[in-house]
Structures are given as structure tokens and as C-alpha cells.
Amino acid sequence: LRMVDTSNLGFASRKKDFANLDEELANPTPERVFAIANAFDKGYTVDQLHELTKIDKWFLDKLKNIKNVEKELKVAGTLT
């Protein structure tokens, strides 16, 4: 994602809330990947996202793993 646009921080939630998250997930747009990140932060499951997006569960699971690592790093605070 950073290679496409260097202002992106990667697979991270955008600060803005989508007016209708489910609609944003259902329609392929350049913002959908960020809607997926927001959805994981809001507690959506891989199965729920698969139903809305029709994106392969394997790929969604890999994205979920990125969000899980992000949460673990926030809890850890620092590397020391």
C-alpha cells in the first residue's frame, strides 16, 4: 500500500469513519482496503468480511493477522 501512495502507512485504519461501512466493504473502490482495516478494528470476523466483500478467506485471514500483530505491538509498548 505504501508503494502505491507513500502517504499511506500501510494496512491501517483511516482516521475517518465511513458513512456506511458495510456498503464500503461490498463495493470495490480504492478505499475498500482501508474499510477492511476499519472493520477488523470494529470486530468484524473473516467470515463476515468474506460475505460482504467476496474476497477469499485466505487473503482476509492474512490481513487479519496483520491487524493482530498491530494490536500485540501496541500492547507491548516498546521493544525493550
Side-chain angles (χ1 to χ4, degrees):
L1 293 171
R2 289 193 56 172
M3 292 174 67
V4 173
D5 181 357
T6 56
S7 68
N8 289 329
L9 298 176
F11 184 61
S13 299
R14 293 276 170 103
K15 296 297 181 196
K16 72 172 187 168
D17 280 327
F18 293 97
N20 186 335
L21 185 56
D22 287 356
E23 185 177 314
E24 191 70 36
L25 292 165
N27 298 303
T29 68
E31 294 291 311
R32 183 159 76 164
V33 70
F34 303 111
I36 292 169
N38 281 21
F40 280 132
D41 287 344
K42 291 180 185 285
Y44 283 56
T45 65
V46 167
D47 288 331
Q48 289 171 315
L49 287 174
H50 171 71
E51 287 300 315
L52 288 165
T53 64
K54 305 304 183 214
I55 295 173
D56 188 87
K57 288 182 182 182
W58 180 89
F59 187 72
L60 290 170
D61 189 57
K62 300 306 172 194
L63 293 175
K64 175 71 173 156
N65 188 50
I66 292 169
K67 295 305 287 182
N68 289 344
V69 170
E70 177 187 30
K71 287 178 186 174
E72 289 174 15
L73 290 173
K74 283 181 181 176
V75 169
T78 68
L79 293 176
T80 57

